[in-house]
Amino acid sequence: MNTAPESSLPNRFSLRSLSLIASLTLLAATPLALSQNINSRPAATTLLAANTTPADTLPDSPGATLTASSSSADSSDVNNDWQFGLGSRSDKERAKHMASPTEKFILPGQLAPKLTSGNKVELGLIHGISLYSALGWVVSSGYSQIINSSPNYGVDKGAYGQRLGAAALRGYSDEVLRDSVMANVFHQDPRYYKMGPSHNIAVRTFYSVSRVLVTRGDDGRLAPNYSLVAGNAVGAALTNAYYPNFNRGFDQTAKTFGNSMYGTAFSFFASEFLSGALESIHLKESRD
């Protein structure tokens, strides 16, 4: 007869649980602390008049020339920002095509407001727990369970629960670190701008996976995607606090980082084609 008391459960389980809670608390507190010094968001009319730029000519950028980056910007420069498909339509019509500051994926032709530091904090916090992100946790943990890959918790039912929890924490931490923290540190735009069906599949595929290495700064200029790479790297390092001992250490952390980069590239690829796929089976209405 097994007389082992409940207290004989491995101490590492308790320590791992505490690490999970501590890591999650730290991640939640960091962007919230950053937001304390952020000014309130400008009024919608201000965003429309000065901080909005076209997304249809450069799918990975709000526009070729950002009004705020021009030393000679005036009302004519602002009007020129609307020549790419929206012309001189009214503010009401422009607002119809305006993306929310907390939208992660920008559609072709959709107007994208310039992000404040507070917007980036919100973007990471909100998208980190979105349905889209949760789907990624389920898929990644399920795949890991099937092939018994990292994190190596085993293949029983309890192992899947541990994998799902670890995937959620890792996914959330990566998202917050990339969008809320590092995008502010490096002054980069963390959003993904979709190319859309006007380009062929090969071009869209290459574009989507390349966004893990290429992005644009707040000034609209192309730049290495420091915020994404740094966010994934720090997120991978944090897994040493809650992954099994076998999956800790430099080599295993490097593999975790590589998996994060592959996973992010796949999420961009999926987002590039997901809207079209849903529309093709009539699960989503096409945008005017």
Side-chain angles (χ1 to χ4, degrees), residues 69-82:
S69 67
S70 174
S71 59
S72 61
D74 55 21
S75 59
S76 62
D77 291 326
V78 174
N79 290 334
N80 287 337
D81 280 342
W82 305 99

Side-chain angles (χ1 to χ4, degrees), residues 170 173-174 177 229-240 242 253 256 260:
R170 177 180 161 196
S173 62
D174 285 353
L177 286 165
V229 174
N232 281 354
V234 175
L238 283 177
T239 61
N240 285 278
Y242 56 90
T253 300
T256 299
S260 293

Side-chain angles (χ1 to χ4, degrees), residues 5-261:
E6 253 183 63
S7 59
S8 66
L9 289 173
N11 290 331
R12 62 180 181 178
F13 180 79
S14 298
L15 292 174
R16 188 175 300 140
S17 298
L18 290 174
S19 297
L20 285 168
I21 295 172
S23 299
L24 189 57
T25 302
L26 176 63
L27 287 165
T30 299
L32 290 176
L34 287 174
S35 67
Q36 295 301 311
N37 296 323
I38 304 303
N39 293 328
S40 60
R41 187 180 306 156
T45 53
T46 303
L47 286 172
L48 284 168
N51 290 338
T52 308
T53 48
D56 51 334
T57 54
L58 289 174
D60 57 340
S61 166
T65 303
L66 294 178
T67 301
S69 67
S70 174
S71 59
S72 61
D74 55 21
S75 59
S76 62
D77 291 326
V78 174
N79 290 334
N80 287 337
D81 280 342
W82 305 99
Q83 66 181 326
F84 304 99
L86 293 178
S88 58
R89 296 184 182 181
S90 67
D91 284 353
K92 183 176 181 180
E93 289 177 299
R94 292 172 182 172
K96 180 181 178 181
H97 295 270
M98 172 76 75
S100 164
T102 57
E103 282 190 54
K104 173 79 171 183
F105 304 105
I106 309 301
L107 299 175
Q110 191 176 22
L111 298 175
K114 289 178 63 179
L115 298 180
T116 66
S117 295
N119 292 152
K120 294 176 185 179
V121 170
E122 289 181 273
L123 186 68
L125 291 174
I126 293 173
H127 189 72
I129 55 174
S130 67
L131 180 61
Y132 181 84
S133 296
L135 179 62
W137 308 338
V138 173
V139 171
S140 64
S141 58
Y143 179 73
S144 175
Q145 178 80 1
I146 292 172
I147 66 173
N148 193 23
S149 64
S150 176
N152 297 95
Y153 290 112
V155 293
D156 57 14
K157 293 181 179 179
Y160 177 74
Q162 290 178 298
R163 279 193 169 93
L164 182 58
L169 180 54
R170 177 180 161 196
Y172 178 75
S173 62
D174 285 353
E175 198 73 45
V176 171
L177 286 165
R178 290 190 307 249
D179 298 354
S180 300
V181 180
M182 297 303 177
N184 274 317
V185 170
F186 293 104
H187 304 288
Q188 294 186 322
D189 187 342
R191 294 170 293 188
Y192 177 83
Y193 293 81
K194 298 184 181 182
M195 271 194 161
S198 60
H199 297 79
N200 65 50
I201 293 177
V203 170
R204 294 172 70 188
T205 298
F206 176 78
Y207 165 80
S208 63
V209 298
S210 70
R211 295 310 91 181
V212 297
L213 299 177
V214 181
T215 189
R216 288 187 179 259
D218 290 337
D219 60 1
R221 297 181 180 180
L222 282 172
N225 203 338
Y226 297 122
S227 54
L228 188 149
V229 174
N232 281 354
V234 175
L238 283 177
T239 61
N240 285 278
Y242 56 90
Y243 267 17
N245 290 333
F246 178 78
N247 301 117
R248 302 180 186 183
F250 180 80
D251 289 344
Q252 290 296 318
T253 300
K255 291 179 181 179
T256 299
F257 169 71
N259 290 336
S260 293
M261 295 297 289

